[in-house]
């Protein structure tokens, strides 16, 4: 690219001499033929053909734009004026010189490569690649053939240009090959035809041929139209390309930032975002591992402590039993020895024997006082893991649950259904009921607090250390859903309950008038209200007990680590 | 413990022997001995009931079965009562070969105990039936009674509408009392109504107590809880002592209502004596109150009478 630009600069420097010869009206360079041919006026000034055409004619004469002297023109108009031949000759000479310079430039320049890339064969020898075009012969030539064919004096004058600057050929009319196609048909029918060449026409076609009645335009104008539209489009395209490259750049930037290979990051010694993310993940899992290790250590300590206590009590029991055994054995021996003796001695020893028997009886009593667990200890250590990875040693995990809800929702009925598996229509609870319910490996301490208006402000006294709230809703009473929602919203905002699980029991599903749990969940806006806490809604009815155990199952899953649900 | 059960076992083993021995020495059957020996009221009636229920004589067992059925069908009314008693008396005289003219006194007192025993049984069925009727807001009778309850408790304040916050002023849970009657049904309403109707001034006084800003309680639903207590006392037979001492003849609904009124007044006193911190102490105090009542009822002399002094405090 750079080389090309340089070569064009040099070229324009060469051309600067010819540029001196320009029309002083339009300041365009005169050309050897066409619109820019210089024509001589009577006053001696030269003006290009195109400018003369534009000058107004007065009494079939045109005024010189410089000194206002009239130059009469004949019927042929401007065309009748003489060309300024001396100027043309000068022009030709200058151009020739520049061409030579150009050629010599091209001959020596690496830009030859560029020409070769066009891959046009030399007309003299098909094996050669053409780099030049002779404007006079109209042939493509390589440097060697150019020298060879144009060595004669006459031919040496031929203007040869680099292949890339080959002048555009004037199109020929497809119907009349001898005539140049000067016009383009603008008729829609012809435009619709696939081959563009059929639209070209010469004046014959225009006036008499197949395009006789068709609208037409000048080839140059039309071509220019197309060119300008292309240029326009190109501008557009340039913008598009800029945008694209910008996007590419941005993407590149981002990917570099991701990998940390962009200059800013390197300069600041900052790692890429990928590395950062990876580090965060590692950090998180490291913390997790650390806390797990701590938890494991705590759990192991708990087990160890438990074990030590167990062993200690067992040893204590063992020593006790051993000492009792020896005492009993001793007493027995004493008695046996005593009765072996003669009657008199036996009677004197009666008191001692009685004491010994008493002591045996005492030991027996002590043995009887031991609980069956103490007498038949089991070697197992029942372990359950809670959800927060603590270890619980013992048969049951204890859980504190509060039953809340509006009055008449069925809290007490549910409680007693769970407790005694029998349904009784309850009387209004004043104050609270507390019951402990065993379910699977859970031991629930349930506080059932009355739901009447006056008691609701007192609910908060039951929140402390509560692991779960069971909110009971009467699903057969839609009129009171808003009231229930209000109470539930108050519960949710309580600080002491922020870690508590929430189980909503849609009670009284056995009644025909009851609403579905979807409706209940909707009315209580549970999805919105309980966002970010563990909650569950369960359909149930206290009468048959349906759904209650499912609810408890859910509660126990909130407590016990998953996977270790049932202790073996 | 062991001694106690051993004693009971021995008692049941030797009871027929003991009865035979006493029969021979006193020339009186067990029922006669009870009727002559025990004072009228709970001691005598409970004794007779115990003796009858443990009788091994087939005839008597049959009679008991018939009387049970009749009481369940609520047949102990008016003339029916008389024929029922006669059936029992004649059967016993026949079985035990008692001379009717000699033991005229026995026949009289035995008849009364029979009336009381099955009257009580009938009352439990009546009460149970009333409890099973749930409050129906479309039934004008129920509605009238509810409105009447308000009028008796608050004669000077008109009720704004059927469903109103005012109900909470007399201690219902919500705006519509009907949901509060769920467990005790109409029985709760009848109890409250009787209390406010028969002992209007006492009821108003108790209501006033219950409105104490700190130590107060909710009058109506405490009332329903007390209905539940009275109901259970009646059903498990603990109330027999009071009923047999209190009712001259067969215990009827009125007697049950009066037991309820007594419990209410007594609970009011008990509540304030216990100095509750909040209403949350209710369960504890209620349990203590029940234990206190049951201990009182364990004494066969017990008879609850409403302390008329409450009225003038």
């Amino acid at each position: 690219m750079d080389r090309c630009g340089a070569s064009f600069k040099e070229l324009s420097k060469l051309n600067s001499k010819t540029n001196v010869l320009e029309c002083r009206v339009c300041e365009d360079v005169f050309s050897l033929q066409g619109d820019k041919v210089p024509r001589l006026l009577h006053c001696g000034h030269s003006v290009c053909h195109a400018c003369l055409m534009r000058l107004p004619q007065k009494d079939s004469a045109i005024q010189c734009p410089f000194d206002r002297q009239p130059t009469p023109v004949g019927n042929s108009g401007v065309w009748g004026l003489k060309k300024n031949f001396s100027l043309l000759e000068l022009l030709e000479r200058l151009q020739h010189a520049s061409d030579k310079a150009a050629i010599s430039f091209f001959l020596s320049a690496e830009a030859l490569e560029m020409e070769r890339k066009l891959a046009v064969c030399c007309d003299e020898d098909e094996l050669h690649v053409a780099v030049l075009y002779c404007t006079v012969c109209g042939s493509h030539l390589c440097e060697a053939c150019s020298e060879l064919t144009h060595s004669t004096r006459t031919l040496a004058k031929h203007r040869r240009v680099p292949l890339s600057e080959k002048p555009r050929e004037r199109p020929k009319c497809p119907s009349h090959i001898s005539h140049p196609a000067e016009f383009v048909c603008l008729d829609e029918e012809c435009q619709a035809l696939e081959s563009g060449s059929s639209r070209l026409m010469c004046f014959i076609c225009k006036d008499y041929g197949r395009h006789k009645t068709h609208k037409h335009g000048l080839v140059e104008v039309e071509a220019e139209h197309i060119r300008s539209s292309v240029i326009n489009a190109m501008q557009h395209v340039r913008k598009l390309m800029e945008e694209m490259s910008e996007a590419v750049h941005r993407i590149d930037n981002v990917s570099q930032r991701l990998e940390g290979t962009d200059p800013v990051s390197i300069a600041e010694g900052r790692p890429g975002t990928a590395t950062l993310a990876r580090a965060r993940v590692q950090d998180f899992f490291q913390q997790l591992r650390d806390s797990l290790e701590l938890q494991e250590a705590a759990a192991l300590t708990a087990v160890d402590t438990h074990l030590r206590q167990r062993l200690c009590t067992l040893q204590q029991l063992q020593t006790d039993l051993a000492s009792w055994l020896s005492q009993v054995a001793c007493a027995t021996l004493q008695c046996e020895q005593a009765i072996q003796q003669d009657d008199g001695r036996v009677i004197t020893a009666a008191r001692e024997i009685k004491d010994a028997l008493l002591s045996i009886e005492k030991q027996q009593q002590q043995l009887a006082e031991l609980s069956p667990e103490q007498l038949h200890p089991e070697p197992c250590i029942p372990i359950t893991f809670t959800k927060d990875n603590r270890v619980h040693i013992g048969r049951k995990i204890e859980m504190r649950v509060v039953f809340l809800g509006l009055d008449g929702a069925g809290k007490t009925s549910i409680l007693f259904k769970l407790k005694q598996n029998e349904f009784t229509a309850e009387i209004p609870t004043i104050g609270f009921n507390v019951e402990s319910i065993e379910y699977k490996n859970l031991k629930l301490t349930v506080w059932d607090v009355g739901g009447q208006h006056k008691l609701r402000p007192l609910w908060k006294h039951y929140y402390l250390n509560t692991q779960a709230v069971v909110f009971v809703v009467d699903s057969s009473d839609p009129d009171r859903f808003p009231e229930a929602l209000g109470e539930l919203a108050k519960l949710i905002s309580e600080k002491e309950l922020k870690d508590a699980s929430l189980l909503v029991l849609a009670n009284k599903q056995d009644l025909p008038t009851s609403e579905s749990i979807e409706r209940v969940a909707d009315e209580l806006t549970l999805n919105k209200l309980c966002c970010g806490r563990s909650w569950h809604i369960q359909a149930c009815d206290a009468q048959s007990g349906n759904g209650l155990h499912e609810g408890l199952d859910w509660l126990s899953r909130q407590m016990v680590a998953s996977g270790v649900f049932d202790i073996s | 413990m062991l001694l106690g059960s051993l004693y009971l076992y021995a008692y049941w083993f030797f009871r027929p022997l003991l009865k035979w021995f006493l029969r021979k020495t006193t020339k009186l059957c067990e029922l006669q001995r009870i009727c002559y020996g025990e004072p009228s009221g709970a001691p005598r009636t409970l004794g007779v009931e115990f003796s009858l229920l443990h009788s091994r004589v087939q005839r008597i067992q049959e009679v008991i079965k018939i009387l049970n059925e009749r009481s369940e069908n609520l047949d102990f009314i008016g003339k029916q009562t008389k024929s029922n008693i006669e059936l029992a008396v004649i059967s016993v005289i026949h079985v035990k070969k008692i001379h009717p003219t000699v033991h005229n006194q026995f026949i009289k007192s035995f008849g009364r105990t029979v009336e009381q025993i099955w009257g009580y049984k009938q009352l439990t069925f009546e009460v149970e039936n009333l409890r099973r009727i749930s409050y129906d807001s479309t039934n004008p009778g129920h509605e009238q009674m509810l409105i009447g309850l308000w009028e008796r408790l608050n004669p000077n304040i008109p009720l704004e509408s059927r469903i109103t916050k005012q109900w909470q002023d007399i201690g219902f849970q919500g705006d519509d009392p009907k949901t509060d009657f769920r467990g005790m049904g109409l029985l709760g309403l009848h109890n409250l109504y009787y209390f406010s109707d028969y002992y209007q001034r006492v009821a108003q006084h108790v209501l006033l107590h219950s409105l104490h800003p700190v130590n107060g309680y909710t009058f109506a639903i405490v009332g329903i809880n007390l209905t539940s207590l009275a109901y259970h006392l009646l059903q498990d037979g603990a109330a027999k002592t009071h009923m047999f001492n209190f009712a001259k003849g067969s215990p009827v609904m009125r007697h049950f209502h009066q037991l309820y009124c007594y419990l209410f007044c007594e609970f009011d006193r008990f509540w304030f004596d216990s100095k509750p911190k909040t209403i949350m102490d209710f369960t504890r105090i209620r349990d203590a109150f029940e234990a206190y009542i049951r201990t009182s009822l364990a004494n066969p002399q017990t008879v609850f009478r409403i302390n008329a002094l409450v009225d003038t405090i």
Side-chain angles (χ1 to χ4, degrees):
Chain A
M1 258 283 263
D2 288 349
R3 281 229 62 96
C4 246
S7 69
F8 281 128
K9 250 182 226 166
E10 281 180 54
L11 253 180
S12 58
K13 216 185 266 171
L14 278 170
N15 284 343
S16 62
K17 259 186 243 165
T18 47
N19 287 357
V20 178
L21 302 172
E22 58 193 20
C23 169
R24 281 175 58 206
V25 178
C26 60
E27 297 191 330
D28 279 343
V29 181
F30 289 125
S31 61
L32 294 172
Q33 60 216 5
D35 270 357
K36 299 296 173 190
V37 162
R39 287 189 195 273
L40 198 60
L41 297 178
H42 285 192
C43 56
H45 289 109
S46 290
V47 179
C48 75
H49 176 81
C51 292
L52 284 175
M53 288 292 279
R54 270 184 236 122
L55 287 176
Q57 289 191 12
K58 214 179 189 178
D59 305 331
S60 64
I62 47 175
Q63 279 188 332
C64 170
F66 307 112
D67 55 14
R68 304 209 166 261
Q69 284 199 25
T71 302
V73 289
N75 288 340
S76 50
V78 176
W79 278 278
L81 290 173
K82 289 282 176 287
K83 295 177 183 173
N84 189 341
F85 286 113
S86 52
L87 200 59
L88 285 175
E89 201 173 337
L90 187 63
L91 206 63
E92 208 170 15
R93 276 196 191 162
L94 274 172
Q95 254 182 11
H96 188 68
S98 74
D99 280 355
K100 260 202 159 164
I103 291 162
S104 67
F105 168 75
F106 274 106
L107 284 173
S108 61
E110 285 173 27
L112 278 176
E113 289 300 314
M114 304 276 300
E115 301 301 328
R116 288 208 175 91
K117 275 181 193 161
L118 293 170
V120 180
C121 290
C122 176
D123 288 343
E124 296 297 314
D125 189 337
E126 288 194 353
L127 297 173
H128 297 169
V129 181
V131 290
L132 295 174
Y133 177 74
C134 177
T135 51
V136 184
C137 314
S139 59
H140 306 96
L141 299 164
C142 65
E143 309 105 288
C145 297
S146 162
E147 288 301 312
L148 208 71
T149 52
H150 291 71
S151 54
T152 60
R153 211 181 144 173
T154 354
L155 291 176
K157 283 181 192 160
H158 282 184
R159 185 166 167 253
R160 276 155 291 167
V161 293
L163 204 51
S164 52
E165 286 175 21
K166 170 183 162 185
R168 289 178 199 137
E169 283 173 23
R170 297 209 63 159
K172 295 277 188 272
C173 172
S175 320
H176 311 89
I177 297 172
S178 54
H179 296 284
E182 287 171 291
F183 305 100
V184 182
C185 180
L186 296 178
D187 198 84
E188 281 177 15
E189 256 179 61
C190 298
Q191 275 191 359
L193 288 175
E194 270 187 32
S195 124
S197 63
S198 63
R199 287 176 62 203
L200 293 172
M201 53 180 159
C202 61
F203 66 93
I204 302 171
C205 303
K206 177 192 146 205
D207 291 342
Y208 313 103
R210 56 192 179 100
H211 299 295
K212 192 174 165 188
T213 53
H214 293 172
K215 228 174 121 187
H216 62 271
L218 280 170
V219 167
E220 286 91 347
V221 175
E222 283 306 305
E224 212 46 51
H225 268 162
I226 295 170
R227 284 207 183 91
S228 68
S229 69
V230 168
I231 286 166
N232 265 345
M234 286 312 282
Q235 272 175 350
H236 234 73
V237 167
R238 209 164 292 136
K239 219 182 251 172
L240 186 73
M241 277 166 66
E242 265 170 34
E243 273 173 29
M244 278 174 166
S245 67
E246 235 170 74
V248 167
H249 187 66
R250 269 201 303 272
I251 289 169
D252 191 43
N253 234 345
V254 168
S255 60
Q256 277 183 343
R257 283 289 302 280
L258 281 173
E259 286 169 351
T261 53
D262 63 313
V264 181
S265 300
I266 291 169
E268 291 178 12
R270 202 169 43 183
T273 42
T275 325
L276 284 176
R278 219 170 280 130
R280 276 188 59 192
V281 169
Q282 281 167 346
D283 202 38
F284 174 78
F285 279 96
Q286 190 54 47
Q287 278 180 6
L288 214 58
R289 266 192 291 273
D290 288 349
S291 67
L292 266 181
E293 264 168 36
L294 283 179
Q295 284 169 346
E296 187 187 353
L300 284 175
T301 323
V303 172
D304 287 344
T305 319
H306 172 81
L307 187 69
R308 222 172 300 130
Q309 281 172 354
R310 280 275 295 271
L311 284 177
C312 209
T313 47
L314 285 179
Q315 271 171 2
Q316 183 63 45
L317 198 61
Q318 211 175 6
T319 28
D320 282 357
L321 281 173
S323 80
W324 295 347
L325 187 64
S326 68
Q327 278 175 28
V328 171
C330 189
T332 324
L333 196 70
Q334 202 183 348
C335 292
E336 275 174 359
Q337 280 174 352
I339 52 170
Q340 294 285 320
Q341 292 161 348
D342 56 51
D343 297 356
R345 291 251 183 102
V346 169
I347 286 163
T348 45
R351 199 181 159 74
E352 281 170 39
I353 292 171
K354 208 176 165 192
D355 283 349
L357 286 177
L358 260 176
S359 80
I360 290 174
E361 208 168 302
K362 213 175 97 192
Q363 307 303 343
Q364 196 181 359
Q365 253 182 17
Q366 277 177 328
L367 194 68
E369 274 168 15
L370 292 178
S371 62
E373 287 100 62
Q374 278 173 311
L375 284 176
H376 306 281
E378 279 184 33
C380 67
I381 302 178
I383 282 178
T384 318
F385 297 98
T386 61
K387 207 156 195 188
D388 51 354
N389 293 341
R390 278 180 298 115
V391 67
H392 176 88
I393 301 168
R395 283 279 166 214
K396 303 274 177 187
I397 291 192
E398 286 182 15
M399 189 174 188
R400 200 183 133 108
V401 181
V402 185
F403 276 25
L404 298 173
L406 300 186
D407 49 280
K411 298 173 290 298
T412 313
S413 297
I414 288 176
L415 178 63
F416 284 100
K417 180 74 188 174
L418 284 173
K419 176 78 181 168
Q420 292 151 354
N421 198 23
E422 62 186 38
F423 176 75
T424 45
E426 289 298 328
I427 47 176
T429 306
I430 307 170
F432 63 91
N433 296 305
V434 58
E435 293 290 342
S436 90
I437 296 171
E438 298 204 352
Y439 179 72
K440 290 195 177 166
N441 50 351
L442 279 184
K443 188 177 172 196
L444 303 164
T445 309
V446 180
W447 297 78
D448 158 39
V449 190
Q452 71 172 105
H453 273 286
K454 280 183 184 162
L455 294 181
R456 289 179 203 165
L458 302 171
W459 284 359
K460 59 173 179 291
H461 301 304
Y462 297 84
Y463 294 165
L464 193 68
N465 294 329
T466 289
Q467 283 132 325
V469 175
V470 175
F471 193 80
V472 184
V473 183
D474 177 355
S475 24
S476 68
D477 194 358
D479 295 345
R480 294 186 78 188
F481 285 166
E483 195 184 345
L485 170 62
E487 294 301 332
L488 187 60
K490 262 185 243 168
L491 282 184
I492 297 288
S493 59
E494 285 291 339
K495 250 189 209 152
E496 282 172 322
L497 290 179
K498 72 179 192 315
D499 294 325
S501 316
L502 175 73
L503 174 64
V504 178
L505 287 179
N507 193 22
K508 308 196 189 176
Q509 289 286 328
D510 53 326
L511 298 181
T513 53
S514 73
E515 299 286 346
S516 67
I517 55 165
E518 288 80 15
R519 170 88 200 281
V520 176
D522 238 32
E523 287 283 334
L524 299 183
T525 61
L526 288 177
N527 278 312
K528 211 172 83 188
L529 204 61
C530 311
C531 175
R533 82 166 49 227
S534 60
W535 68 277
H536 179 69
I537 182 164
Q538 175 70 47
C540 72
D541 71 273
Q543 185 123 34
S544 66
N546 285 339
L548 294 181
H549 284 167
E550 285 82 345
L552 287 189
D553 280 339
W554 182 84
L555 274 187
S556 70
R557 280 198 297 277
Q558 303 314 301
M559 284 295 291
V560 181
S562 52
V564 207
F565 183 55
D566 290 308
I567 33 172
S568 45
Chain B
M1 257 292 274
L2 193 80
L3 260 166
S5 60
L6 212 78
Y7 170 77
L8 264 179
Y9 182 76
Y11 173 78
W12 283 110
F13 189 79
F14 290 112
R15 191 176 125 87
L17 200 73
L18 191 74
K19 276 171 73 180
W20 173 82
F21 178 73
L22 287 174
R23 176 99 204 237
K24 287 292 150 197
T25 48
T26 59
K27 308 251 173 156
L28 293 170
C29 74
E30 194 189 21
L31 288 172
Q32 282 169 302
R33 291 197 301 274
I34 293 166
C35 286
Y36 291 143
E38 299 284 353
S40 71
R44 187 186 293 169
T45 312
L46 288 172
V48 169
E49 188 177 19
F50 180 86
S51 170
L52 283 178
L53 290 181
H54 295 98
S55 170
R56 297 185 196 181
V57 182
Q58 203 180 357
R59 176 85 194 272
I60 294 200
Q61 282 175 354
E62 277 167 11
V63 168
I64 289 171
K65 216 173 147 191
I66 291 165
L67 289 177
N68 279 347
E69 275 169 16
R70 288 189 182 173
S71 69
E72 199 172 340
N73 297 332
L74 311 184
D75 270 350
F76 276 74
I77 327 165
K79 281 184 185 167
Q80 293 278 338
T81 319
K82 218 173 176 187
S83 69
N84 289 333
I85 294 167
E86 269 169 16
L87 170 73
V89 172
I90 289 166
S91 310
V92 169
I93 287 173
H94 185 77
V95 169
K96 300 291 175 188
K97 297 183 184 68
I98 297 166
H99 200 287
T101 44
V102 175
H103 293 289
N104 194 14
Q105 184 59 38
F106 165 75
I107 289 168
K108 257 193 198 168
S109 36
F110 177 69
R112 240 191 88 194
T113 58
V114 169
E115 188 186 357
Q116 281 199 324
I117 291 164
W118 275 277
Y120 184 91
K121 208 164 219 76
Q122 179 172 289
L123 181 60
T124 62
F125 291 118
E126 269 179 75
V127 165
E128 176 63 19
N129 287 345
L130 196 57
R131 190 188 72 85
R132 280 172 186 277
I133 303 170
S134 45
Y135 185 87
D136 180 5
S137 49
T138 58
N139 185 325
H142 298 183
E143 289 285 294
Q144 233 167 6
M145 191 174 260
L146 186 63
I147 305 289
L149 173 66
W150 172 269
E151 284 163 355
R152 274 153 189 77
L153 288 173
N154 285 315
N156 301 323
I157 306 166
L159 199 61
E160 283 161 3
S161 67
R162 169 62 185 77
I163 292 169
T164 164
K165 283 226 178 314
Q166 282 178 304
W167 288 115
Q168 292 178 20
D169 297 345
I170 60 167
F172 283 104
Q173 294 197 88
D175 304 343
D176 186 352
K178 71 172 182 186
T179 56
D180 293 339
F181 292 118
R182 51 190 176 225
M184 286 297 129
L186 267 197
L187 185 63
L189 181 58
H190 277 245
N191 275 162
L192 277 171
Y193 182 81
Y194 185 91
F195 184 42
S196 65
D197 190 43
Y198 198 82
Y199 295 103
Q200 191 175 4
R201 291 189 60 195
V202 182
Q204 284 174 2
H205 188 81
V206 170
L207 174 62
L208 212 61
H209 271 196
S210 80
L211 295 175
H212 189 285
V214 182
N215 298 335
Y217 52 86
T218 42
F219 181 83
I221 58 171
V222 164
I224 292 169
N225 270 265
L226 291 174
T227 299
S228 163
L229 174 61
Y231 166 78
H232 283 114
L233 290 176
L234 185 77
Q235 292 296 333
D236 62 21
K240 277 177 183 168
T241 0
H242 163 73
M243 286 296 189
F244 295 154
N245 285 333
F246 189 62
K248 290 279 177 291
S250 158
V252 290
M253 198 50 116
R254 181 171 54 87
H255 296 117
F256 179 72
H257 286 321
Q258 282 182 346
L259 169 66
Y260 171 80
C261 297
Y262 170 80
L263 288 177
F264 213 139
C265 297
E266 197 60 16
F267 179 80
D268 183 60
R269 190 185 58 74
F270 195 86
W271 172 266
F272 285 101
D273 287 351
S274 310
K275 297 189 176 58
K277 285 201 189 71
T278 66
I279 188 79
M280 285 300 169
D281 291 331
F282 178 82
T283 317
R284 180 177 61 80
I285 292 174
R286 199 204 74 97
D287 289 347
F289 179 66
E290 183 174 349
Y292 159 72
I293 292 292
R294 281 187 188 277
T295 347
S296 306
L297 287 173
N299 178 1
Q301 309 296 334
T302 298
V303 56
F304 295 138
R305 288 184 203 285
I306 290 185
N307 189 355
L309 282 176
V310 169
D311 220 356
T312 56
I313 289 170

